[in-house]
Amino acid sequence: MDALYFAFSAIAVYTALMMVTRRHPIYAAGWMLACLASVAGIFVTLHASFLGVIQVLLYAGAILVLFLFVIMLLNPSKEELEAERVALWQPVAGLVLGCFFAGLLVWAVLGDAPGKAIPFSEYPAPDGFGSTTDFGATIYDRYVVAFELISVLIIAAIAAVILVGKRNLRPARPGRTSEPAPPAHRETTEEAVHA
Amino acid sequence: MAVTHDEAVERTDERKSSWVERLYLREIVAGLANTFRHLVFESPFTTQYPEETIPYNPRARGEHILKVDEQGREKCVACLLCEAACPSKCIRIVPGPAPWDDRERYPVEFEIDMLRCIYCGFCEDACPCDAIELTPKPYTVFDRRETALYDKEKLKNNYPQDWRERFSDGYGKQTGPPFRREAGDRSLIR
Amino acid sequence: MNISIWNILVAVGVVGLALQIVPGLIWAERKVCARIQGRRGPNRVGPFGLLQPVADAIKLLTKEEIVPAGVDKPLYYLGPFLVFVPAALAMAVVPWGHDMVIGGQRVPLQVAELHVGVLFVLACTSLGVYGIAFGGWASNSKYPLLAALRSSAQMISYEVAMGLAVVAVVMTAGSVDLREIVAVQQGTWFGVVPQWLVFKQPIAALLFLVAAFAENNRLPFDLPEAESELVGGYHTEYSGMKFAMFFLGEYVAMITMSAVLVTLFFGGWGFPGLVDPSSTSVGSALLSFAVFLAKVSFFLFFYLWVRWTLPRFRYDQLMMLGWKALIPLALFNVVATGFVGIL
């Protein structure tokens, strides 16, 4: 298992690097797909197969497809992509943040942070760890308030998206002033709901 | 006022029908039943073409035949009327003195270029002695130009000489296969 | 986790045999289509045209592979495989029959005994869209691009309905393990009616069926390859074996979907009075495998039957059906199942 874990980790890091360095968003999405798959692999090797499968199902199967949808809808040409310039502060900010999180990670693994990481072999997974039952019990028992708060947040986001999405979708229609204009393009809002 | 596409779509969608109707369940089941009936109970309509053919209507204009009399001699007297009538100039006749007593001329050579022929039937109309006829034989496919030149012997044997009798109902009235067949009706296929 | 030679044999044998349905399915597709339309279908190659798929395969293998200029090569080559692989992958968790005991060792007729089987299947089917999306985009042509767009929107819309239908099933069965879902469906009511979940969850079964058609891009939901409007859809620019790979993927996805449908709603490998679920003999296991294949074949036939009966949806109708009919119905079904479960 350890070997698999490190293999998946290496793939995840490599694909993540490939993702951020690709110029074309389609390729970035493709590498992101590989990255998500290898992160799912990491979850599985850590005895959290439920989480791993959900990772593929939601992130790779649904959210990334929406990314792809938008990328293909815009379909930027090569010239447009090359015309785009990166501002100087962006890589600097990225580097600073990256170093911060890397430091956090090193501190968690090697230092004496609270909830310090324990090597895999010294801490065998308890029976039923990562299973669907275990996962459901944790979410709906221990963290039920947080979970419900998150769902409220998501509903607020959906409502906001609908509001923003519908604002500019009322074209003036000659000859139909007696009735209120129906939403012209229904799919947009529906896709937004899902996002 | 012209109806825009969106309005047309909207109007069709807002046609009043109950929600049960709009489930289309009855229609889907009826459609499935119909296709299942076709799948299981109905025989195929099709003819296995190279092996099986359906004869054409006897009034169809296909390839020619040179008619012969009871003694096997061609009826043609080489009057060249068909050659003159032919709009595509596909008939070539070389007349010669007939070896028989009842006529003066006969075609030494009679040749039709089937690639030029437009199957108009004018030659049949022009013929004074019913010596040339268009039969329901379908157009042949050729792979060489030479084979499309039909000579006298080929034209005599191009189709059964008695094809009109074969396709008539016994009272001189021509009958042919109906243009529509019921599914599975194989009576005319040969 | 100890893998014996038997596990490998089962993996190769069962899935290999299941994949052999594909040529039969291609033949059946053409034959059923022909008979419904009053034709005969293929009857020249072999008896009843049974060797037609072989002839097709030879033709496709030996055909020239044309790669159009301006395609995005890596993704263009990747596309067909990304359609095929996830579809075949989902087969791994399907229980094809009950367990056997060979030489004192338990051999399941299942490649991977994953305890999150249902979710794994959903995850795999949701990945199938990438092949179409990448292939369509990389073709550098407008029709495949439109098909890719349609496909991704369609897949996401119907995946939600499918997922919610499966949630109701999981609530009724009390497990996400496909083996246990099959196990709870053994036995009968009143000695005659099998305890299949289709009787407990008819709405979920219907929703799953409709969503499965949409996920597999089969008529009446085949908008990504709608011939009359998009030429060939996402595979317009593909030829030869790459083109065949798309079709292979579609057929394998059909088999997988039918297998999952049977597993979730129609008692899996079980059949009251025919298969004894408590038996562990090899013969009984093979019988259960045959029962499973028979059930799968019926739904494969249903795919074909529906294909040649119903016309294609318009795109807005497709979205309307997905978002305004199937998803609310699925949500209602989940809530109703919850209430019934509490009572």
Side-chain angles (χ1 to χ4, degrees):
Chain A
M1 274 309 204
D2 268 2
L4 270 179
Y5 171 80
F6 285 112
F8 277 127
S9 306
I11 296 171
V13 170
Y14 174 73
T15 49
L17 280 176
M18 290 301 276
M19 180 191 104
V20 292
T21 49
R22 288 313 93 183
R23 189 164 274 277
H24 201 291
I26 286 267
Y27 274 88
W31 283 108
M32 189 171 173
L33 174 66
C35 184
L36 291 172
S38 45
V39 170
I42 294 176
F43 280 134
V44 172
T45 54
L46 292 174
H47 299 275
S49 45
F50 177 78
L51 212 56
V53 173
I54 287 292
Q55 165 96 2
V56 174
L57 181 60
L58 285 188
Y59 285 93
I63 289 172
L64 197 57
V65 178
L66 278 175
F67 285 12
L68 262 186
F69 185 85
V70 172
I71 293 168
M72 288 195 297
L73 204 63
L74 302 174
N75 204 12
S77 67
K78 215 174 169 189
E79 293 78 43
E80 281 172 315
L81 288 170
E82 273 162 11
E84 194 172 319
R85 289 273 160 262
V86 180
L88 187 67
W89 64 269
Q90 281 172 323
V92 173
L95 203 68
V96 169
L97 275 176
C99 287
F100 173 69
F101 282 114
L104 215 60
L105 220 83
V106 171
W107 184 48
V109 174
L110 302 175
D112 51 355
K116 178 174 146 21
I118 307 163
F120 210 60
S121 44
E122 290 171 25
Y123 184 75
D127 212 28
F129 173 80
S131 72
T132 319
T133 327
D134 196 41
F135 199 84
T138 313
I139 281 188
Y140 290 106
D141 203 11
R142 199 169 153 193
Y143 298 111
V144 66
V145 178
F147 183 77
E148 291 304 327
L149 281 178
I150 288 171
S151 63
V152 170
L153 189 68
I154 289 173
I155 287 180
I158 291 171
V161 163
I162 291 175
L163 197 71
V164 172
K166 283 210 167 182
R167 184 175 293 157
N168 297 325
L169 285 175
R170 296 199 182 181
R173 285 198 177 197
R176 290 197 53 142
T177 43
S178 55
E179 298 170 45
H185 187 62
R186 290 184 180 123
E187 285 95 78
T188 312
T189 50
E190 278 148 10
E191 281 144 17
V193 167
H194 187 70
Chain B
M1 195 189 82
V3 179
T4 65
H5 177 259
D6 277 1
E7 283 168 355
V9 166
E10 215 165 279
R11 280 182 201 175
T12 357
D13 281 353
E14 285 175 2
R15 196 183 53 224
K16 289 283 170 288
S17 47
S18 72
W19 69 274
V20 181
E21 273 175 357
R22 279 188 290 145
L23 279 180
Y24 293 108
L25 270 182
R26 199 178 67 84
E27 281 74 13
I28 289 171
V29 172
L32 286 173
N34 187 35
T35 42
F36 193 75
R37 184 173 56 79
H38 277 277
L39 176 68
V40 176
F41 300 111
E42 305 233 320
S43 327
F45 234 101
T46 46
T47 317
Q48 298 297 291
Y49 171 61
E51 292 91 19
E52 304 173 348
T53 51
I54 306 171
Y56 283 16
N57 189 298
R59 302 185 67 169
R61 296 197 301 257
E63 290 190 345
H64 310 71
I65 181 179
L66 271 186
K67 301 285 278 190
V68 296
D69 58 15
E70 299 77 38
Q71 297 153 46
R73 310 174 300 182
E74 56 271 18
K75 283 184 178 173
C76 179
V77 294
C79 65
L80 307 189
L81 277 175
C82 54
E83 197 183 304
C86 183
S88 57
K89 303 267 178 280
C90 67
I91 304 176
R92 189 178 67 86
I93 303 171
V94 177
W100 312 299
D101 297 337
D102 55 348
R103 65 193 79 163
E104 287 176 13
R105 282 148 55 104
Y106 91 119
V108 179
E109 282 178 41
F110 194 110
E111 202 173 71
I112 300 181
D113 185 347
M114 289 298 177
L115 289 177
R116 295 194 61 140
C117 179
I118 59 169
Y119 303 94
C120 61
F122 284 6
C123 49
E124 185 175 345
D125 291 348
C127 187
C129 37
D130 290 345
I132 186 164
E133 272 177 357
L134 264 64
T135 69
K137 184 185 180 186
Y139 314 152
T140 313
V141 178
F142 306 106
D143 58 351
R144 301 174 65 84
R145 286 186 171 274
E146 297 85 74
T147 51
L149 291 174
Y150 282 20
D151 62 9
K152 198 168 74 179
E153 285 311 305
K154 170 90 178 152
L155 283 167
K156 274 195 217 171
N157 303 315
N158 201 18
Y159 206 60
Q161 286 278 338
D162 57 344
W163 66 273
R164 271 188 202 280
E165 286 76 46
R166 287 193 196 185
F167 282 144
S168 74
D169 61 1
Y171 294 92
K173 191 179 157 199
Q174 284 178 359
T175 53
F179 289 114
R180 279 183 59 84
R181 288 186 302 135
E182 292 306 312
D185 176 11
R186 307 188 58 75
S187 62
L188 288 156
I189 295 171
R190 52 181 191 191
Chain C
M1 203 193 292
N2 43 11
I3 297 166
S4 74
I5 184 82
W6 287 108
N7 290 101
I8 294 164
L9 275 181
V10 163
V12 174
V14 172
V15 177
L17 205 62
L19 283 178
Q20 292 317 305
I21 304 174
V22 172
L25 192 57
I26 292 168
W27 176 82
E29 170 112 40
R30 299 178 63 166
K31 212 71 177 169
V32 166
C33 155
R35 291 307 294 264
I36 283 176
Q37 296 171 349
R39 297 183 286 114
R40 275 188 177 75
N43 61 357
R44 300 281 148 164
V45 196
F48 306 107
L50 272 170
L51 295 177
Q52 186 69 43
V54 180
D56 286 348
I58 292 170
K59 183 201 84 173
L60 285 165
L61 277 169
T62 52
K63 231 179 160 178
E64 185 188 357
E65 300 252 354
I66 299 163
V67 179
V71 301
D72 190 286
K73 283 252 176 73
L75 290 181
Y76 180 82
Y77 282 94
L78 195 64
F81 296 96
L82 279 186
V83 169
F84 175 76
V85 170
L89 206 60
M91 279 191 180
V93 293
V94 174
W96 298 89
H98 67 66
D99 293 353
M100 310 183 277
V101 171
I102 300 172
Q105 197 189 2
R106 193 180 70 89
V107 178
L109 272 178
Q110 188 182 14
V111 180
E113 291 182 87
L114 210 62
H115 60 261
V116 285
V118 174
L119 299 168
F120 184 80
V121 167
L122 285 177
C124 284
T125 51
S126 69
L127 289 181
V129 68
Y130 283 104
I132 295 174
F134 283 148
W137 180 81
S139 293
N140 189 28
S141 165
K142 49 186 161 305
Y143 296 117
L145 183 66
L146 280 172
L149 279 171
R150 280 182 178 191
S151 182
S152 37
Q154 177 180 332
M155 284 272 200
I156 285 186
S157 309
Y158 281 79
E159 215 168 79
V160 180
M162 180 181 262
L164 288 171
V166 168
V167 165
V169 173
V170 169
M171 285 164 78
T172 313
S175 174
V176 285
D177 190 341
L178 286 169
R179 296 169 63 83
E180 282 177 37
I181 290 175
V182 174
V184 298
Q185 296 182 67
Q186 306 310 315
T188 53
W189 287 302
F190 317 117
V192 275
V193 184
Q195 285 186 336
W196 293 347
L197 280 175
V198 65
F199 301 118
K200 281 187 188 166
Q201 287 284 357
I203 297 177
L206 190 68
L207 288 169
F208 190 90
L209 188 68
V210 174
F213 274 81
E215 293 269 302
N216 285 352
N217 297 329
R218 292 288 297 187
L219 267 164
F221 303 105
D222 74 333
L223 281 110
E225 47 186 307
E227 296 89 350
S228 45
E229 38 196 293
L230 291 184
V231 190
Y234 53 87
H235 51 60
T236 306
E237 306 292 345
Y238 281 90
S239 59
M241 206 52 209
K242 285 201 282 295
F243 167 77
M245 213 63 184
F246 272 122
F247 263 80
L248 203 59
E250 183 180 321
Y251 282 107
V252 170
M254 271 167 74
I255 295 170
T256 309
M257 265 316 170
S258 302
V260 174
L261 185 69
V262 167
T263 309
L264 290 182
F265 296 102
F266 293 90
W269 39 260
F271 200 88
L274 195 63
V275 181
D276 176 16
S278 57
S279 166
T280 51
S281 71
V282 175
S284 176
L286 290 179
L287 181 67
S288 69
F289 181 46
V291 166
F292 191 84
L293 280 188
K295 286 181 185 175
V296 169
S297 306
F298 172 77
F299 283 102
L300 289 174
F301 166 71
F302 190 72
Y303 266 101
L304 309 182
W305 187 9
V306 168
R307 171 168 184 183
W308 300 109
T309 305
L310 299 181
R312 183 181 301 126
F313 277 99
R314 215 171 49 208
Y315 190 70
D316 63 317
Q317 291 170 331
L318 173 97
M319 285 295 161
M320 198 83 85
L321 180 72
W323 289 99
K324 292 195 176 170
L326 294 189
I327 293 176
L329 192 63
L331 280 170
F332 166 77
N333 191 39
V334 169
V335 173
T337 310
F339 268 114
V340 172
I342 290 169
L343 291 178

